[in-house]
Amino acid sequence: GEKEAAVDLYIIVEYGVRIPDIALTVQEKVKSAIENMTGLEVVEVNVHVQGVGFVSEEVEDVRVR
């Protein structure tokens, strides 16, 4: 629409995280970002978890630094 937006997100979460917590955080941040950037009212943000990923040791090394 011209004044409202609905968003569908497809994500892969890291093994060991609480999916409901991640989904809620993603919903809030995406809604806020879209509303701030566009001025549209976001009426729904649907988060679809496509899978669970495992972090490789190489990626973990980068995170620690």
Side-chain angles (χ1 to χ4, degrees):
E2 292 182 22
K3 296 184 182 192
E4 296 179 337
V7 180
D8 285 298
L9 298 171
Y10 296 86
I11 64 172
I12 296 175
V13 297
E14 183 179 326
Y15 177 78
V17 300
R18 290 188 35 83
I19 293 173
D21 295 343
I22 295 297
L24 180 61
T25 300
V26 168
Q27 283 177 321
E28 291 170 347
K29 290 188 177 204
V30 167
K31 179 179 190 238
S32 176
I34 291 173
E35 288 178 344
N36 289 333
M37 286 188 286
T38 65
L40 297 174
E41 177 187 359
V42 177
V43 293
E44 60 185 52
V45 177
N46 302 307
V47 177
H48 305 274
V49 178
Q50 293 291 311
V52 176
F54 295 89
V55 177
S56 69
E57 290 181 23
E58 185 176 306
V59 173
E60 286 183 9
D61 289 342
V62 172
R63 287 186 180 177
V64 172
R65 295 179 188 167

